[in-house]
Amino acid sequence: MVHQCDLDLNCFLGILQFQFTMNVVRYFPIAGGIFLLIWVWKKNYFQPYRIQLNFPKKEKIFFEIKQSFTTLIMFTLVAIVNITLAKMKIIPSQVYFSIDDRSIGYAILSFGLISIWHETWFYWMHRLVHTKKLYHIIHSVHHKSVNPSPLAAYNFHYLEAFLEALYLPLFIMFVPMSFQILIFHTFVAMILNIFFHTGYEFYPKGWASHPILKWINTPTHHNQHHSKFHGNYSLYTNFWDRIMGTNFPDYEKYYESIVERRDLALEERIKERSGLGEFVVK
């Protein structure tokens, strides 16, 4: 495995290639593929699922692509610096490369721990960059996507990209984690981030107010953050927003209105297709 090599030029280049692939090469086909599927190719089919019915201008999409590339380069640089410093014994690293070094149970536990840590780091970092001074310097770049697309998932100022990436080196300095689980975590985080930025709501009626399901975030939750800015700060779950009282007061009501509009549109589509079928038979 390339990350187990001794630190020399070939090792460094191998790590650079791997991290570039895991960040830049992995992201754009997935985010771009989802964008092309639901925003372009099957745009009419997915229209009932849209949260905001209108579409942003093309210039906004190009900006999201450009800033995502900036973010992914920063993610790559943070990873390379972290790995290099760990190999030089300047900072500790608890990453192990054979999953058999610890039990499968521990691997699952470590995935849960890093997910909790990521959720916590993201919420409080997110609130920090929403403070008056930092918002205009850093976070306003992300909020240029008032009506975000899947390509807005990593649309960050380079300083925010650095803050976004920092949670991972801090975690593996202290908590043992399998390299395989680490890569899996970054993949899951990327997929969820893209999903929450799709601009489409697929969850069922009652999700946002269900006693259990309400603790899991929805695309509507984050889309509302983009359109109204100061609220709905959390990531995977709705834990921190709920206990800190930072959900928008109308979030649950707004969610139901989006789902109700979607379901009515889907019912109308079914009726139209059924009516067309009857007409053809006659």
Side-chain angles (χ1 to χ4, degrees):
M1 186 177 292
V2 66
H3 288 69
Q4 292 179 279
C5 58
D6 294 327
L7 189 58
D8 56 22
L9 180 59
N10 288 332
C11 178
F12 180 82
L13 292 176
I15 293 169
L16 173 61
Q17 181 182 17
F18 181 85
Q19 290 297 329
F20 184 83
T21 301
M22 285 296 97
N23 287 299
V24 181
V25 177
R26 184 175 62 172
Y27 171 76
F28 281 110
I30 296 175
I34 293 172
F35 174 80
L36 290 174
L37 174 64
I38 65 178
W39 281 60
V40 181
W41 183 37
K42 293 293 184 179
K43 178 179 177 180
N44 291 335
Y45 177 82
F46 285 102
Q47 182 63 27
Y49 297 89
R50 281 198 63 77
I51 298 166
Q52 299 184 50
L53 294 178
N54 61 318
F55 287 84
K57 295 180 179 179
K58 291 180 181 179
E59 293 78 16
K60 294 286 186 180
I61 305 299
F62 291 134
F63 181 80
E64 291 172 354
I65 294 171
K66 178 178 74 70
Q67 287 303 127
S68 289
F69 186 77
T70 299
T71 293
L72 293 163
I73 293 299
M74 177 58 76
F75 284 1
T76 301
L77 291 175
V78 169
I80 291 170
V81 170
N82 178 67
I83 293 165
T84 302
L85 292 178
K87 284 183 174 293
M88 295 173 66
K89 308 298 182 184
I90 295 175
I91 61 172
S93 174
Q94 302 297 324
V95 175
Y96 57 95
F97 292 93
S98 175
I99 202 166
D100 294 329
D101 288 352
R102 291 175 179 263
S103 67
I104 296 297
Y106 179 79
I108 296 171
L109 174 63
S110 66
F111 179 79
L113 290 175
I114 197 168
S115 298
I116 293 170
W117 166 240
H118 191 197
E119 178 74 42
T120 302
W121 174 269
F122 180 87
Y123 176 84
W124 291 104
M125 181 277 297
H126 197 184
R127 288 196 65 176
L128 176 66
V129 296
H130 265 272
T131 56
K132 190 172 183 180
K133 290 183 179 179
L134 292 182
Y135 179 83
H136 292 290
I137 297 171
I138 298 175
H139 196 52
S140 60
V141 170
H142 189 62
H143 276 285
K144 286 184 178 181
S145 298
V146 177
N147 188 358
S149 81
L151 292 158
Y154 287 155
N155 170 24
F156 298 126
H157 185 280
Y158 69 91
L159 291 177
E160 183 171 2
F162 172 76
L163 293 174
E164 292 274 353
L166 199 56
Y167 82 97
L168 201 49
L170 291 174
F171 184 84
I172 60 177
M173 283 174 64
F174 303 103
V175 182
M177 191 167 192
S178 159
F179 181 76
Q180 293 85 352
I181 296 298
L182 183 63
I183 295 300
F184 179 67
H185 160 75
T186 61
F187 180 74
V188 170
M190 181 188 71
I191 293 297
L192 289 176
N193 205 352
I194 293 170
F195 175 65
F196 289 136
H197 284 88
T198 55
Y200 292 75
E201 185 55 72
F202 299 100
Y203 289 172
K205 181 179 180 181
W207 184 287
S209 55
H210 188 276
I212 297 174
L213 298 178
K214 70 180 182 181
W215 298 97
I216 302 172
N217 268 343
T218 65
T220 297
H221 182 271
H222 194 68
N223 192 274
Q224 190 178 31
H225 172 77
H226 274 266
S227 62
K228 296 181 71 173
F229 303 122
H230 299 293
N232 292 17
Y233 298 111
S234 52
L235 183 59
Y236 310 119
T237 75
N238 204 224
F239 175 77
W240 283 109
D241 271 323
R242 287 191 181 275
I243 68 169
M244 298 304 298
T246 50
N247 274 331
F248 286 112
D250 66 337
Y251 162 55
E252 293 182 9
K253 183 178 180 181
Y254 179 64
Y255 174 86
E256 290 303 321
S257 70
I258 296 298
V259 173
E260 182 178 359
R261 186 192 68 204
R262 178 199 70 197
D263 291 348
L264 285 173
L266 292 174
E267 287 177 10
E268 287 298 319
R269 175 185 289 176
I270 292 171
K271 288 179 181 178
E272 288 176 4
R273 289 180 177 177
S274 177
L276 179 61
E278 290 177 4
F279 177 78
V280 170
V281 171
K282 290 178 181 179

